[in-house]
Amino acid sequence: MTNHCDTASLLLRGLAVAAPAAMAVSSTSCSSQKNPGDNERKPLNIVYIMTDDHTAQMMSCYDTRYISTPNLDRIARDGVRFTNSFVANSLSGPSRACMLTGKHSHKNGFLSNEMSVFDGEQPTFPKYLQKAGYQTAIFGKWHLETLPTGFDRWEILPGQGDYYNPRFIRQEGDTVVEHGYLTSIITDKSLDWLENERDKSKPFALIIHHKAIHRDWIADTCDLDLFEDTDFPVPETFYDDYAGRPAAAAQEMSIDKDLDIIYDLKMLNDTVDTRLKSTYLSIIGRMDSAQRAAFDAHYQPIIDDFYKKNLTGKDLAEWKFQRYMRDYMKVVKSLDDNVGRVLDYLEEHDMLDNTLVVYTSDQGFYMGEHGWFDKRFMYEESMRTPLVMLLPKGLERRGDIPEMVQNIDYAPTFLELAGIEVPEDMQGMSLMPLLRDKNGPEKWRDNLYYHYHEYPAEHMVKRHYGVRDDRYKLMHFYNDIDQWELYDLKEDPNEMHNIYGKPGTEEITARMMQKLKAAQEQYDDPIREKYPIK
């Protein structure tokens, strides 16, 4: 079935089309482009797969404690795995804007999900690729409020999108409802474009953006019964008391207190009301009768048992943790299966030798560490993000890449891969030097800058900025708070002990302050004018 809306309706929802800006850039044409290792081959293709909230702990090439992800692991096994991959702002929309522009949030203008609208007129890597003769396409989550620019073909989700029978906004100016499960539908659309729509004489950049594994973790019907017999170890920091970290104590993303028993954990009951119950009812109301029957058949026995037990305190907190883990993992399973479909297509059509395949997430996520779900903080679990790549012939690096990389690096990497000169205003570094040689470059960056802007908002994580090097992390929470935190990641990898201001840390603090100051100057963050570092 379809549900059409006109252009006026799109505009009312803030989905306005912006014309691409003129871009002055030196590029090598597709007909004459030189590629790594083989000057006779065609220009290299790009398949960029990004998920939402998929943390490295839930990807078995990074962490074997929880789940097996064989298809994602194929990429790492046959290509490269970045072991120090990070984001610049751990939030969905801002992360996507950083990826598209190669710039930090304060430069691309998309600071937060709740208060920003992406300027579609600014240069992005798809626009540069288009100018160089590439076909560009995106299917799935966009989450930037304006409609895509720089793409020859696109179909996107309104807002966060729906797992079941989702709506898609199309280039034609209408919105249609597609029947089925979202992760599979996005993959179907991507493969159909590869097989039937693109001009196969031209190079392409295909962006596949999944809603998975975003809250509220609703699995496909075929995966509902998975992991139900598995009990997961409670993280050692699950009962963190946030001593010495007032910003951490002020959040509203606790599994115990904030994970909604109905919206998040599906424990629907006519006599129980929660803040997000009505939202949950609208979500499951999208299901057809067969989908709903399968969903109810799975969850109703769990619901009955839960309310019969009447859990409280620690027992309730740990029960919620187990349900959260199981539902999250079911969505990962579907995602992994669908990534396998894309890899199989590329392999069957002999495209892997000439295609860069990238898999990453828009940020990391908490799987009970510090007692949390969600992301946002500069702490390791959310600042880190998985990043694996299958490399085309001519790029020799294999195995682990330990250098620190960030999502602002993706855009310049894609441009250099395509033989396009990287614009000077892009703030990221091309990863091509890391991919060309077996041993990588002799010199690389030694720290990363981070800035989170969305407050007050959902989960109430304070605004903060900071710098991370290979051992220490310094961050400043500001706005309605003035709190510094410093961590020794070697001695305290769980970031439980804030050593800022402790005797004996003066030299470390001074060194990290100077790195922070230099990063704010390098990236021209105006926050330095309000909170100057001496």
Side-chain angles (χ1 to χ4, degrees), residues 232-250:
F232 302 97
V234 175
E236 60 180 308
T237 62
F238 188 76
Y239 292 106
D240 189 350
D241 64 3
Y242 316 118
R245 291 159 290 146

Side-chain angles (χ1 to χ4, degrees), residues 371-423:
W372 296 338
F373 65 102
D374 209 69
K375 58 266 183 175
R376 302 167 193 264
F377 280 107
M378 193 184 171
Y379 303 130
E380 288 293 282
E381 291 87 356
S382 50
M383 186 182 178
R384 283 185 176 272
T385 193
L387 178 63
V388 292
M389 296 183 183
L390 267 179
L391 306 181
K393 283 187 176 179
L395 298 179
E396 301 301 324
R397 193 77 177 263
R398 293 294 182 272
D400 285 353
I401 297 181
E403 287 88 352
M404 288 190 292
V405 303
Q406 204 164 26
N407 56 350
I408 59 171
D409 298 335
Y410 304 164
T413 302
F414 299 152
L415 296 191
E416 185 175 352
L417 182 86
I420 301 169
E421 183 178 339
V422 178

